[in-house]
């Protein structure tokens, strides 16, 4: 039997909506924060957590529901530009993430301290990759997109969809989270930001609330940590780079 495509396995990734989540209530409890930086198997972890019963937010949700980009841009501006996170209280996160029980990927993972303040009982997971392996993947996707003139041009032509994605990548992730204003600066800073993120997670989260997960470890350590039975299916392995391309 041929392996199922990503579209067959995750049809929700291809359902586009236009929901403004401002003021939305929380409908399910927040239980798990998967805090691995982008390009650390975040889509595979999202699918794994979903299989275990946690509806999980991933950057792909920003693509399928473009208004989310506006709220993430506001959060990044508050934390990284104004350095004032007073607006990032539980009400803000309940509105943006109230329909999910877990998160995976940047930008959500970059707000682990704010999310843990809002939801102190969550369990956390950190997936790390060797830095040069991570950087190659990061460069091939995010850095190339940041320097893609056509992405910027199409974003200006289509501001409601492509433009939102470009602004979040440009002003949000690259200029905000990564602190870079040019491609050269992004290349120079990326490794340090990635490593600092991992160290901050490990330094601020108690060891009994944090699973250091290694890609390829399968279901056992994740299910043991979350108190879930091992599913009767292989651990997900999604090639995000190929999917994005």
């Amino acid at each position: 039997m041929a392996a199922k495509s990503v579209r067959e396995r995750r049809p929700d990734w291809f359902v586009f909506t236009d929901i403004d989540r401002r003021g939305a209530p929380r409908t399910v409890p927040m239980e798990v924060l998967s805090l691995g930086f982008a390009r650390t198997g975040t889509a595979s972890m999202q699918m794994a957590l979903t299989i275990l019963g946690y509806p999980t937010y991933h950057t792909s949700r920003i693509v399928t529901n473009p208004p989310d980009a506006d709220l993430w841009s506001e959060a990044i501006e508050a934390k990284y530009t104004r350095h004032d996170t007073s607006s990032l209280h539980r009400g803000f996160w309940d509105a943006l993430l109230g329909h999910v029980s877990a998160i995976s990927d940047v930008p959500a993972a970059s707000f682990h301290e704010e999310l843990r303040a809002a939801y102190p009982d969550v369990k956390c997971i950190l997936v790390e990759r060797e830095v040069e392996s991570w950087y190659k993947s990061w460069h091939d996707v995010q850095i190339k997109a940041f320097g893609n003139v056509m992405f910027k041009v199409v974003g200006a032509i289509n501001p409601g969809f492509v433009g939102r994605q470009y602004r979040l990548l440009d002003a949000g992730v690259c200029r905000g989270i990564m602190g870079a204003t040019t491609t050269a600066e992004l290349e120079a800073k990326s490794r340090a930001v990635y490593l600092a993120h991992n160290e901050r997670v490990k330094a601020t989260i108690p060891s009994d609330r944090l699973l250091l997960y290694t890609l390829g470890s399968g279901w056992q350590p994740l299910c043991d940590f979350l108190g879930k039975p091992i599913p009767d299916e292989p651990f997900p392995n999604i090639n995000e780079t190929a999917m994005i391309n």
Side-chain angles (χ1 to χ4, degrees):
M1 181 181 295
K4 291 183 178 181
S5 68
V6 173
R7 183 182 288 270
E8 290 173 318
R9 297 178 71 186
R10 292 308 311 271
D12 56 302
W13 286 7
F14 300 90
V15 177
F16 290 84
T17 56
D18 188 31
I19 301 169
D20 184 351
R21 303 194 193 279
R22 297 176 193 275
R26 175 158 292 284
T27 58
V28 292
M30 180 61 78
E31 299 181 81
V32 183
L33 306 179
S34 182
L35 301 175
F37 209 78
R39 322 310 307 154
T40 62
T42 58
S44 297
M45 186 59 72
Q46 184 214 23
M47 185 178 287
L49 290 171
T50 301
I51 291 169
L52 293 177
Y54 304 101
T56 304
Y57 195 97
H58 182 268
T59 299
S60 57
R61 296 289 187 94
I62 304 174
V63 176
T64 57
N65 192 64
D68 284 6
D70 299 337
L71 289 173
W72 284 114
S73 293
E74 289 177 16
I76 291 170
E77 181 182 0
K79 180 171 182 174
Y80 293 96
T81 303
R82 300 200 313 270
H83 306 289
D84 177 5
T85 59
S86 59
S87 62
L88 305 182
H89 45 68
R90 178 158 180 162
F92 177 88
W93 299 118
D94 278 352
L96 178 54
L97 301 171
H99 58 299
V100 297
S101 294
I103 62 94
S104 177
D105 204 5
V106 170
S110 296
F111 292 89
H112 59 93
E113 290 170 287
E114 292 77 14
L115 287 167
R116 288 183 58 244
Y119 311 109
D121 295 329
V122 292
K123 291 186 175 181
C124 300
I125 302 160
L126 178 64
V127 179
E128 297 179 271
R129 288 178 68 176
E130 188 276 326
V131 65
E132 292 305 323
S133 172
W134 169 82
Y135 179 77
K136 182 180 185 305
S137 180
W138 170 260
H139 188 280
D140 287 348
V141 178
Q142 271 81 1
I143 293 181
K144 285 185 178 179
F146 180 62
N148 189 321
V149 175
M150 186 56 65
F151 189 10
K152 183 176 182 179
V153 170
V154 176
I157 296 171
N158 183 353
F161 179 62
V162 180
R164 274 177 162 137
Q165 312 304 322
Y166 179 79
R167 288 191 298 274
L168 182 59
L169 174 67
D170 177 53
V173 175
C174 294
R175 297 176 189 271
I177 293 172
M178 306 304 290
T181 58
T182 65
T183 299
E185 193 175 9
L186 185 57
E187 291 173 336
K189 289 186 172 184
S190 288
R191 293 178 181 84
V193 172
Y194 167 70
L195 292 172
H197 169 83
N198 293 341
E199 291 308 310
R200 184 67 178 169
V201 167
K202 289 184 284 188
T204 57
I205 300 176
S207 59
D208 63 333
R209 309 297 298 178
L210 178 64
L211 171 66
L212 300 178
Y213 183 86
T214 301
L215 291 174
S217 299
W219 288 113
Q220 191 75 56
L222 183 63
C223 291
D224 287 350
F225 180 65
L226 297 175
K228 296 284 188 177
I230 296 176
D232 188 23
E233 60 180 288
F235 193 91
N237 181 17
I238 298 175
N239 186 334
E240 292 176 74
T241 302
M243 179 177 162
I244 291 169
N245 290 338

